[in-house]
Amino acid sequence: MLERAEEMLGLTLPTALREAYSLLGTRHDLTSNQDPLLRPSELFVHDEFGGVLVFRSENQGCAFWGVRLRDLGQDDPPVFVQSRDGWVRFLERVSLACVELVLSETLLGSEGRLYNACELPASLIRELPSRFTQVDFPEYPMWTGKEESPVSWFSAPGKLLRLDGLSDHSWLHVRGSTSADLESLRTALPGHWACGYSEPLEADELPF
């Protein structure tokens, strides 16, 4: 399918992107919960920014992730995202962008009752590094704009956290391995949590 997509587009995918499709192309549970990895047949070239090969899309088409056409000759080129501030550098390598994709799509996965989000006050934002382990992953911009950037990740046993921005009341997204893990996060970080779980969480109910 990749070969056919390349033929239709008239270009060759970078090695790292081809490897990503070989590893993740059928793992829709890891790549297609919120802002999906496009299927090979859905790959397209966006004509802005000198031409960008788009391989990921925000679920309502509000943003796209891709590689500039002029960088396609690199094995693991930088990735850019079409944000509200225009096209900006997302991460330095396709391989890193694919790790971020799996992290975010797992965080926002189909088991909605294990996910929640809260607008975290500045006092608790400052405490996150002392309460949780910061994931060794580069910070990067959120497509919604500078106010929700940079994005950083934290973890603890059975818990995954993503903080979008550093300003007062930035959104913190969390996932627990179990309901008890999730409840312990809500207890440790008091605030107005988005989900009460009276009904299953739908993708269009996420707070962004």
Side-chain angles (χ1 to χ4, degrees), residues 22-137:
S22 68
L23 293 169
L24 301 170
T26 60
R27 290 297 307 271
H28 304 306
D29 57 323
L30 298 178
T31 62
S32 301
N33 293 312
Q34 178 68 12
D35 303 325
L37 177 71
L38 298 181
R39 300 175 189 274
S41 61
E42 297 172 330
L43 293 169
F44 70 95
V45 173
H46 201 297
D47 60 7
E48 292 181 355
F49 201 48
V52 180
L53 173 64
V54 173
F55 63 85
R56 185 184 181 192
S57 174
E58 193 271 338
N59 68 91
Q60 297 182 30
C62 295
F64 300 104
W65 290 258
V67 177
R68 295 180 299 185
L69 296 185
R70 70 187 192 195
D71 296 330
L72 290 181
Q74 301 179 34
D75 288 339
D76 200 2
V79 171
F80 290 79
V81 63
Q82 183 197 42
S83 74
R84 291 179 180 171
D85 303 309
W87 286 93
V88 297
R89 189 178 290 261
F90 182 64
L91 284 163
E92 292 299 317
R93 302 194 301 276
V94 166
S95 53
L96 284 174
C98 290
V99 171
E100 191 282 333
L101 183 150
V102 171
L103 281 171
S104 286
E105 296 303 291
T106 299
L107 178 76
L108 306 170
S110 58
E111 297 179 32
R113 293 181 183 275
L114 296 178
Y115 163 86
N116 212 331
C118 178
E119 288 186 293
L120 209 62
S123 58
L124 289 179
I125 290 174
R126 289 192 295 269
E127 293 181 17
L128 282 178
S130 63
R131 295 194 184 196
F132 303 95
T133 300
Q134 186 155 6
V135 176
D136 186 15
F137 191 81

Side-chain angles (χ1 to χ4, degrees), residues 33-34 58-60 200-208:
N33 293 312
Q34 178 68 12
E58 193 271 338
N59 68 91
Q60 297 182 30
L201 187 71
E202 300 294 337
D204 57 6
E205 293 176 343
L206 296 177
F208 54 87

